Amino acid sequence: QVRLVESGGGLAQAGGSLRLSCAASGSIVGINVMGWYRQAPGKQRELVAAISSGGTMDYAGSVKGRFTISRDNAKNTVYLQMNSLKPEDTAVYYCNLDSRFTRSNYWGQGTQVTVSP
């Protein structure tokens, strides 16, 4: 069983920074994709950024140039460095791990990010 635990959420001012971390534990398959999704009140959950174990990355257009995703494969941990935060970034951020080999998908419980004007 796989568990994902997010940390680093909180309150920031517009223009500020936060760094999110997500540590996966349990029976982890090394070849996978880890990513961050977010969901604001009244809106659908959307992909923020994702990174494969091989280092391939993709970002939502709204965060490109401001957010940076990275990972430590040995620790099964993914990070999201969020700079130049905007109030529109306010949401619950969820960590995700997907294995295309085992066809397994796991979610964290989410961490709140709030950005004040």
Side-chain angles (χ1 to χ4, degrees), residues 21-60:
S21 298
C22 173
S25 61
S27 300
I28 308 299
V29 176
I31 301 175
N32 57 53
V33 175
M34 298 185 74
W36 292 94
Y37 291 72
R38 68 186 181 187
Q39 187 167 23
K43 295 186 178 294
Q44 293 181 271
R45 188 172 300 185
E46 64 175 350
L47 173 69
V48 177
I51 182 169
S52 73
S53 51
T56 301
M57 298 171 284
D58 69 272
Y59 296 89

Side-chain angles (χ1 to χ4, degrees), residues 13-110:
Q13 292 185 331
S17 298
L18 288 172
R19 191 189 193 201
L20 306 183
S21 298
C22 173
S25 61
S27 300
I28 308 299
V29 176
I31 301 175
N32 57 53
V33 175
M34 298 185 74
W36 292 94
Y37 291 72
R38 68 186 181 187
Q39 187 167 23
K43 295 186 178 294
Q44 293 181 271
R45 188 172 300 185
E46 64 175 350
L47 173 69
V48 177
I51 182 169
S52 73
S53 51
T56 301
M57 298 171 284
D58 69 272
Y59 296 89
S62 59
V63 307
K64 188 173 294 185
R66 300 189 297 120
F67 293 8
T68 302
I69 190 168
S70 61
R71 64 183 289 165
D72 185 330
N73 290 340
K75 297 181 178 180
N76 292 120
T77 300
V78 65
Y79 308 92
L80 186 68
Q81 179 66 46
M82 303 185 293
N83 297 326
S84 301
L85 283 164
K86 303 176 180 179
E88 305 92 90
D89 296 318
T90 296
V92 177
Y93 284 69
Y94 297 90
C95 180
N96 175 266
L97 185 153
D98 182 82
S99 173
R100 57 197 64 190
F101 291 94
T102 65
R103 300 187 66 184
S104 300
N105 188 269
Y106 306 93
W107 292 92
Q109 292 192 210

